[in-house]
Amino acid sequence: MSRDWLGDMINRDEKLKGMGKPLSREVLEGNVLDRTIKNAGYVPQWIAIQQDVRDRLGKIILLLETPSETDQLNQEIAEINILVKKYNSLCPTPMQKMLISLDQAKSQIKSWE
């Protein structure tokens, strides 16, 4: 390999898939970074927390329909509220949510969907 590594790369006769063909409209439109992040499967932390809160609220609603101890429910609500506070610190300001209360859990799950 010579010192001109870029020249060596250009001079290779490798044929790449799609070489010499025009780029598709998809590739040319939109934000390249956003598309790359989405294709890589990256999920921002605040969205992961949002999904976790939604799943936990669903479990609480199921527990509310069955006879269960309120201490256990209150402890679960407290843990969810810790996640809500973390979510609020990470998400964009217009997307911040209220803390969860046991009385309002059924109506509050709609805002987490």
Side-chain angles (χ1 to χ4, degrees), residues 2 7 11 14 16-17 35 65 68 90-91 104-105 107 110:
S2 69
N11 291 334
E14 291 181 34
L16 300 174
K17 179 182 174 186
R35 186 175 50 249
E65 295 172 358
S68 57
L90 297 171
C91 74
Q104 304 282 325
S107 63
K110 292 175 186 170

Side-chain angles (χ1 to χ4, degrees), residues 36-86:
T36 303
I37 289 172
K38 183 178 178 182
N39 290 343
Y42 173 77
V43 176
Q45 187 178 10
W46 63 274
I47 292 179
I49 292 172
Q50 180 182 21
Q51 294 167 349
D52 189 23
V53 168
R54 182 189 61 228
D55 294 343
R56 286 179 171 221
L57 270 176
K59 290 177 184 176
I60 284 190
I61 290 173
L62 290 175
L63 288 174
L64 284 172
E65 295 172 358
T66 60
S68 57
E69 295 183 25
T70 56
D71 291 340
Q72 179 186 3
L73 289 172
N74 287 331
Q75 182 180 358
E76 187 68 27
I77 291 286
E79 291 174 10
I80 290 174
N81 282 333
I82 291 170
L83 286 174
V84 171
K85 289 176 185 177
K86 186 171 183 180

